[in-house]
Each structure stands twice: as C-alpha cells, then as structure tokens.
Amino acid sequence: MRALGHLSQEQIVFGLAVLLCIGFAIALPGFLTTNNLLNLVRSVSILGMLGVAMGLVVIGRGIDLSLVALMAVSVAWTLQLVANGVPLHQAVAMGLAFSLVTGTITGCLVAYVEIPAIFATLAMGTLIYGFGRYFLLRLDVVYMPEAARHLLWLGQGTIYGVPVPIFVFAGVCLMGYLFLRYTRAGHYLRAVGDNLLAARITGIPARPVIVMQYVLSSLIGFMAGMVTAASVASMNTRVAISTYVYDVILVVVLGGIGLSGGKGGIRNVIVGTLLIGVLLNGMTIMDIQYTVQNVIKGIILLTAIVIDTIVNPRDEQTAQQGDI
Amino acid sequence: MSLSDTMTRWRYRAVPDHLVGEILTKRWVDNAIPMLILLAVLAVFGSLIPDFFGSASVTNLARQWGEFGLIVIALMIVMVAGGIDLSVGSTFALGNIVALALISVAEWSVPAVVATTVMCGAAVGLVNGLLVGYLRLRAFLTTLVTLIIVRAIVDMLLLKYSVSIAAAFPDSDLWYFFGEGFLLGAPFSVVVIVTIAVIIHLVLSRSRAGWHILAVGGSRRSAHNVGIPVRRVICSTYVVSGILASLAGVLFASRLGGAGADTGIGLEIAALTAAVLGGNSLGGGRGSAAKAVIGSITVMIIVNSLVRLGVTSGANSLLLGIVLLAAVAIDVRWLKNRHKVLSKVYVSPTYADLPPAPPTSGASPYALNDRLRPVELIGLGRIDGPEDVILDDDDNIYVGDRTGDIVRFFAPDYKRQEVFAHTGGRPLGMAFAKDGSLLVCIGGMGLYRVTMDRRIERLTDETNRSWLSIIDDSRLRLADDLDIALDGRVFFSEATIRYEMHDWPVDCLESRGNGRIVCFDPNTGSTRTVLKNLVFPNGICMTHDGQSFLFAETWGCRISRYWFDGPKKGTVEPVISDLPGYPDNINRASDGTYWVALVGMRTPSVDLAMKMPGFRKRMARRIAPDEWLYPNINTGCVIRFDENGRIIETLWDFGGENHPMITSMREHKGHLYIGGIFNNRIGKLKLDGMDESWTGQTSYWGRT
Amino acid sequence: MRLITTTLLATAVTLCAGAAFAQGIDDPTREPYYSAFEGKRVAYIPVAMGFDLTEGWAAGLKEALEPLGMTIDIRDPNWSTDAGAQAITSLISEKPDVIVVHNPDVQSYARLLRRAEEAGIYVVQVNMRSSYSTDAFIGADYVGMGQRIGERLVEVCSPANGGSGKVAITQGVLTAAASVYQMQGIQNVLSQHDDIQIVSNQAADWDGTKAKNIAATVIQQHPDLCAITGFWDVMDVGTAAAIKESGKDVYLLTQGGGNQMACDGLANGTYSEVVVYHVPGQARDMATMIKHLIQQGQPAGTTKTTLFTPLDFVTKDNMTPASCWSLPGLN
C-alpha cells in the first residue's frame, strides 16, 4: 500500500488499462488489430468528449448531471427543426443557442441562487428532458432528416481511414487542454475549484467563472450530441433519463479528477476513457451479457473510488459539512 | 391621552406582534412551508380531478403512498446524518424481485420471505455503510455506483426468474393481505408506514441513537470530537435505509406481483424531491419523520395526479424538475436567511405609556444630592459586576460576578477575597434562608442553593408551561431576584421569558409584560408561576406582615405589592407608580421601611419612544443593535420608601464617580452596601441614625 | 329544460324517421349501433407515449372511435410500471367502459386487470400481453415471430445457402416480455440447425448508440458475420450505421410497427429486411374488438379473444407503398 501511495490514481488506472490491454491481446484473437483499436477509440470518443465537458465542471468543483439531457434535447430539437424545413445552419445555430442558454441558466442556479450543483443539475436534467418532450418534440427518437445528410460525415466519415469522431474527440481534448493550460479563464476555473473562498478573496470573479463552467459543458455537450446523432443517424432523447451520465462521471473520476475540485486535467479524462473503452470492447468481444458488464463496470468504479479515498484520505477533522 | 395614542395602544394590545418572532424560533416552523405546499397541491389537484377526495381514490393513493413514503423515510434518515443514499430505488427493486422469487418460485412462507428480503436490503445498506461510514467514501458517488451494481444484479435476477415469477400465483392469503388488505380501516401499507414513521420520530427526537444521528449530521467534526462514534452512526443509517427500502419493495411486490424491469428506476430522484420538499436539509442535521411524510405525500399526489390527468410524458418530468429546483432553492435560501429574518422581526415593541416623571430638583423628594460621595470602595478592580450584595452573620460580603462566581470578601476590612462557589451562570439576586444557606437566582440557570459548606444544589429551573405561549416558557431564562417567605416559600422574579441574560436591555425596547413572578415551594418541591405579564419584574422584598411582598417592575417604573396570603390574598396593589427611574432590587431597611435601587433614570426621549412602538420597531430592524436607543442605565440612586409609597430619602452620587450605577443595596449594621451590575466595586456607606445592630437575618429569621 | 330538449329531439327524430319511410327503408341496426357508443369512455394506457407504436395506436383508436361519440383518455406512465399501475388503479374507481392496456411485462398488471374486469370494465391488451387473459388481446405472436425470424436467418446464412453461418442478435431489454418470447422462438429454430452459430447475443437497451457499438465490435471480431437481427427498427438505425461504416455486407433483419421510416430504411439500404406488425391494422383490430364488446354488452371477462397480428416480412423487393404507414402530423 505504501508503494502505491506514491502513485497517482491516473497512473494506477493507466497501468490497469495497459494490463487489461495486454491480457486481452493475449487472450482474445483480433483484439490487437488496427481496426479493432480504432473501433475501440471510436466507440468511446463520444463518452470521452462528454468526459471532457464533465471534467471541466468537476475541476471547478461542480458536477453536471444535466449534461446528457441537455445534449439529447438540444440536438434532437436541431434535427426536428431541420425536418420541419428550417435550413441546416440555422437549425444548428438555434440548437446551439438553446444549449448555451440552458447551460447559463444552470450555471446561474449554481452560482447565484447557490443551489448545490448536484441538485441543481439533477433537477435541470429532469426539467430539460420534460421541457423538450413537452414543448419541442413529439417522439422519443428523432431521425436525421434527409436535409441534414451531410452531417452524417461527422459521425460516420473517415479521414485517412481514421473515423471522424476520433478527430473530434482529439480536437475537444486539445481545446480543453489549451484552455486549462494557457487561458486566464482556465486558470480562474482551476482556482475556483481548488478553493472558492480564497479565489474570491484574491479578486477572481468566482460566480461568473462558475457560470462559465456550465456554459462550456453545454457547448461541448452539444458537439458530442451532434457526433452522436450523426453516427447513428438519429437522436434518442430517452438517453436523458438513462444512467448514461453516470458513465460519464465514471470516466472522469476513474481518470483521477477529484470531485473536490481543483485537481486533474484533460489527460485524466483520456486515461479514464481508455480504461472504459478497453473494458467495454473486451467484454463485448467476450460476449458478456450487458447486465454482467454493468456489475463489472460498477465494481471497477468502486475500486477506483476506494483507491482514491485511500490515497487522498479525508477524515472527520477535515471533512467539510454538507460535502456529500 | 390623544386619540392617536389610544388607537396605537389598542393596535398593540390587539395584535400580538411578538408571536411572529416566537413562531420563527420554533423548530416546527420548518414544516410550515412544506405544509403550505402540500395544501396548495391538494387544492389544485382536488379541484382539477373529479372525485379526488372519494374514498376509492384516497384509498388507492394511500396504499401507494405507503411504499413511497417508506423510501422517503429511508432517504431522510441518511440525509439527516449528512449523507445521501441514491441506491434506495435499486434496493427497492431488489426487495421486490427477491420477495417475488422467494414467494413464487421458492414458495417460502410469508414471514420467512419478509425476513430474508429485509436481510438483503440490510446487506446492501451495510455495503453502503461500510464504504461511506468506515472507508469514508463520498456518499453521492458511492451510492451512485451501488445503484448501478444493485440494478444490474436485479436485472440478472429478473433474467433468471421473471418468467417463472410470471407463471406462478403464490397461494397465500397473508401475502395478498399485504398488498390488498385493510387493517383498522386503513390499507396495510399505510399502517406499516405510520407505525414506522412514529418509531423513527421517537428515535430521532427522544433517544440517544437518534441524537447521535442528528449530531453527526449537524456537525460531523464536533460529533467526532465529543466522542460520538461517527463512523458507526453513519454506517447504521445506511443499514436502516436499506431495510426500509427493501420493506417497501416487499409491499410493492405483494401489491402488483410484477417483476418489471423498470421497477424503482428514477425512484431516487422522486424520493430526493420528496425529502427536500418536506424540508429535510441536504447537508444533514435537519430532518424528521414528519418532514419526510409531508414531502412524500406532496410528491405522490403530484405524480399520481399528473398521470390521472393524462398529461403527456414531458409535463411530468418538467413539473417534477421545477418542483425539485424550487424546493432546493427555497431550502437553501431559508437556511441562509432564517436567522436574518428572525433577528429583524424578533424584537417587537409595544405601546407603553408611563406617567410623567417627577422632577429631581427643588423640593422634590428625589432632589439631587451628593450623599453617596463618601462611599468607601471595597474590592475596587477585583470584582466584575456584583449585581447583588449580601452579608452573613459574620459580616462577610457575598457578591456574584460576571464570570459566574460567588465571591466572598472577608470581614472586617474586606481586603481578602475568595471564590465561594462557582455556579456557571450569572449569579443575580441572593437571600439567606432560615437554615443559613444562600439562595441565589442564577441568570440562564434558575434558582439554586449554596450551602455554607459550598455545595451547590438546584432548587428549580422550570415552572409550569402556559398553554397559549408559543415559546416554551417552562424553562427559566432569567431568574433575577428572590425573597423568602416565613414558611420557606421562595418567590422570585423572572425578568423576561423572551430574552437570554446577555440581551436583557433589549427587553426595554419591547416594554411588554414579558416577565413573571414564580414561587418555589420547598415543602412540596413544586414550582408555580404566580404573577404573569409583568414589565421586567426585578427586585422582590417581603413586607413585615408576612403576607405580602413588594416587587419592582423595571421598565414599568413602578413598585407594587402582592398578597400571597391573608385576607387580600391574590391581589396586587400599586405602591409607587411614578418613579423617576428604573427600579431594581428592593431590600428592607432597619426602621421598617424599604430601600430600592434605581438602576437608571428616565429621559424624555426614551419616554417618548415608549409611546411610539412603530419607531422602536423600525429602529430594531434598520440599524445595528449598538446604535439603538436604550434607556439610561448608567446613573442611578438609592431611595428609601415606606409601605404607603412615601419617599423618605434619596441618595445620589452627584458626580457619578464612586457609584456610577446601582442595582442593589443592602443595609447591615448601620451601613449600606451597594452593588451594580456593570461596576467593578462594592460601595459601603455609613448611615446616620440607623440601628447599628440590625441585620437582614435578624429581621427575617429573628436570629442574633 | 333537459326534458323539453329531449322531447323536442325525440319528436324531431320521429318526424325524420317518418320522413325517411317515405323514401326508403332505414337500417334497423343503425340507431342501436350509434346509441351504443354515444358517451362511452375508453382509457388507453401504453408503456409510454412518444414512439411510433403507441402514438400509432392512439391515433388509430381516436380515428375509429371518436366519430362515434366515444372519448379516448390517454394515461401516459412514461415507462414506469408503477405509474401505470397507479393509472389502472385509479381508473378502476373511475369506471371507464373499456381499458386498453399495453403491458410492460407479463405480471405487473395481471391482478389489476382482473380487478378491472370484476369491476365491469372491458380490458383489451395490445401487443404485449399479461399473464392474465382478458376480453381481448391484439398483437404479434412473438414466439411465432421468433421462429420465423430464426427460419429467415437459416435461409439467409446457412452455409448450405452460401452464408457463413454466423449471426448476431441485438435485443432490447433482456427482460422485456417481447424479448423473452422471441428468443424462445429463435432458439427453437436455431437449436435444430447446428450450422448456424450465434456469435453475439447482447442487449442494447433499445438504444441506438449502444447497438452501434455492439455491432461495430462484433463485425470487427467476425469479419465474416452473415446477419444481425435486432429487435426494434428504431434501435437498429445504430446497427445499420455500424454495418455501413464497416463496409461489409451484413444482412440486417429488424422489426417494428411499420412506420414509414422503416420503408425509407429499406429503400436506402439501411435495413435488409423488416418484420412489420402493422400498427394501423392493430389499431383497427382494437377498435373492432371494442365495438364488438360494447355492442354485445356481456359482462366483462365473459369471453376471451386473441387476435394475432399478421406479420409482414418486408424487403426492398416486395415493398409496396402500402407496406408502411405514417403517423398523421408527424415527420
């Protein structure tokens, strides 16, 4: 345990992923082919993008449980608009605007009304889904209409044999990295996540920074949603009330971004995504039932949290009140 | 009195403003907002849905509420301890499938099924509890993961057993009774939840285990530091939560008997909404079974009614989301602002019209003089705030001080002092009992006795509660001065029931009859309130007839006489009703008259403000307490008067150098000993022409 | 007032009837037919609104029954069995004339449906049946459907017919009644054909994205995969995307209610074959059963009727404009 204490969770998870890779490569024929590896990354690239969105919020000591709902509803509405005859670029702009406005509202609820992020976003997720279903959409599943066909490239096209979603994922990661590393707003975000009170005292506009987290997350969420819609030529809004958002949190926490904020970066998201990708890919190849996959996934997440707690312990003296 | 004065007076007599603040101090006021929401929801849906209050409709709703309510209570217990349990929905589903599999496939008996299912729930709770409690994982994430894992286990069980469950119809009347039967005219599940809610309520409010849970939720760190086993307590809340959730699963199984894949999905959100809507706070420390019940009924009605109204799927989620948001927002705002609101509205002045103050110049008996100038100072700078002064048979001085000690100065020169006893409260009025022990009114504690061998005994710290009082007036907040009747009964004043010791000057801003006089009877050990609604009753002194006592009402500027025995028993008679200042302690003088201390003098501005309650209210709301207009309590005097209210003499310290403020005085062997609650000294004044052998003890108990 | 109105109406009807006699013979069943339906209430409880099947049934029922003066009440539990159970429970006390129910599973509503019948309400079940048989069931024969799908797979993929023999199955939710029965049917057939190998049998939770990921991986693993059968066309949009991406020629056999989208998918090559249980037909069957039950006027639960919906195996070749339908007012 002492030796492990020197390792960060990111390193542990990365090691685990590599071990699994080696194991699968030996045990499963066809695992270590270029095609399968590309497929592996492609299959988790959307999850990874959402992970980047969630990661940014979590680094700022928030959490965004409305991410998936907002993604589903805004993209579904975009498709619906195109189907109703609105020009594609205009529909995309409207969908994006809807997404950003909703993200701002969520951010304001957290920053100004001071509702704990968990509950604000939980409620917003339900609310957004309900709003979408009641006012914007009539069916659960909205198909990609003929007029939006060239969006399909985003999800199904390839560049030099590499699927486009992988490029989008890489792009989002790069942007996220640059944002956190080189922009003032990125530094502010990390400062707010690390210690809100200290950040406020030093003059950082804490509340606007918190709002910004959720706007960013809704922006990346919308991009991930467009890729999702393009890759399956439809958008299923029921994903909003599924447990998908928990998978996203899994990726983030697994990679080693502490939920108490301020720690971690985009690399952690990539590592977490990688482990999940390897795991899912391997389990699918082994034809493990979906329910069993969930149990395995859950246990691995639990292990990651336990390790995190042991490596970064909290105790009664340092635990913050109401810090659940 | 002008017409507007009369109107103001009636306005403040008729409207009990002070109740608003008092209601806000009650813990149950937290339930008022949820209760209002519940009533609103009832009104809205009751009018929208025909036959909403019909017996069939109510019965159906109640039966379903039984299951949902259990889940909300489960979640509430965890939340009260500062955690959260998102796995309740999955545990509920697990309870459902396990119960069904055992009763339909394994064909166990009903008690065995219930026991085993509940064990399963407890096991899930134990896993959560070990992880969150002992390993100190984050509750939200951990239970999120157990939610996923338990859900997956449920899915696996479903896969294996759903077809056989579907094929079997369990052959047990008891089982169907769970799901469809009535007990005492109520659906079975309702009986279950009411029983459990009552038990949980009793545990949380009246048992050690419950207090531990609340303490951990209130402040985990403090709970840990006072030695509460925080980890075990947290673990146990999750176990209870698991048990209750699986019990709800059993009830659900017996009602529907269906192993649906969607059982319990999203239930945690609904339960969370209900718990928060009921007023259980998110960080812990605030929660009760009643809150859970109110919240669960509200959410139950909303969800059920929306389905019955036939609105489309979206509206349901939309409304639930809005309700959850609003509930949390109100909760957060309420927690943050409640004490602000309270501090603004608690002070509620009323109309007080004092008779014109007599002059303190010229031929007035109150005329200024400098007779306190030759006061000899005892313990200067070595005593902090001697409110009352008393001397024993050996001429030693006893005074209480601000740090809670009773200090004894030794005769004859009073250079030497010692802590006679440490009380822990604020010792105020004192009197020697017949047996020689010292009876003390201790602010914040009650009436105590200190024996000569320094044992401190509590005589009483509570009295009978008035039925109509909103704040709990059974506890003694500010016992002030006492005196002892010949038969040993102790009469003591409690200055105010609305303020604690350190806020006593604020009571003047109200000038309402907040105080009372209480009688403790050592023969029966009982404590009864004898006079109520007095304006800051303060000094008490037995008259020489043994049937009555004099008492001073400080902000009322009057001295009255109350007969507790004899032909005039129970009547109050004014003695002096227009003092120029605020009277404090009263004590006997050697010639059969009485001494009274005026703690401060009236001023025209404060007298005017007393007639303008609106002005004082605005003052209390808008400006900082340090800036408030307080009565003068810095300059006072000592007055001697007789039973008819005639003023015999007045002793002033004109320059205010030796005795800036006076709250008490005690005549002893031809000297007057003077105390003041904000003074750092005791004054000793030689009296001319008074009996040099007279002491209080001889006057009261006839000893020499 | 009402009495006067009624009298006036009655007089008017008599007069009209008298006038009718002058021109021809009135159909004697007309008047009882129409009066039988006037003011009758039908309550419809799907597992959720918002997808083609349930919206199609609702539209069909409304179209057929509302002109007769009946009212259709939709109670939408939105995928919650418990909410559905609450809806049925409260309906039992509200006493509509007919309850149309779409069961999420075979057991949950069984006792409630029996109680509804005992309360004198006709119960019609659609597409997914409960273990308790009520007045009528209209829907696909899932075991039979599974068998026919199995046979199609054998036909397409058997090495004897030039296929590789490898097939993959993408279910919805494993525990859904439709999945369980259908798997039974498929197994019945495939167990007799050793040359067909099921290389993957996964559940995608009715979610296109999951279906796509599963299909993509399986195709990677088995480049010679012959066919994938999915349990819902809406979900299999994802499967189709995976096949298209891989560039392989995999036979995609899916199923659904025959929404226009399915035919579009066949036309543009998204699907290879779709098993259609025609939703408007099911709606019409339901409406017919409801009319039948109301006209018969026998106590609820007296008769038990099952109407299996005819299944169409539609391919690009045998597709006609009538193979699919579109929901009015929907895209």
Side-chain angles (χ1 to χ4, degrees), chain B residues 166 254 257 262 304 307 313, chain C residues 75-76 79 81 86 107 111 175:
Chain B
S254 65
D262 64 306
N304 185 278
V307 173
S313 341
Chain C
R75 301 287 164 88
D76 179 4
W79 302 98
T81 310
Q86 289 179 24
Q107 187 71 17
R111 267 147 62 188
T175 48

Side-chain angles (χ1 to χ4, degrees), chain A residues 38-39 41-46 49 75 79 144 148-159 161-169 222-234, chain C residues 208-209 212-213 216 237-238 240-246:
Chain A
L38 278 181
N39 185 37
V41 179
R42 190 198 52 78
S43 70
V44 291
S45 57
I46 292 167
M49 275 183 255
V75 171
L79 298 185
M144 176 85 58
R149 275 290 156 187
H150 34 284
L151 272 184
L152 283 180
W153 175 80
L154 207 56
Q156 301 179 358
T158 54
I159 301 173
V162 178
V164 175
I166 296 182
F167 284 107
V168 182
F169 177 38
F222 186 76
M223 286 161 67
M226 290 309 285
V227 176
T228 312
S231 69
V232 291
S234 66
Chain C
T209 314
K212 182 182 179 187
N213 289 338
V237 175
I243 293 174
K244 197 174 157 198
E245 253 171 48
S246 73

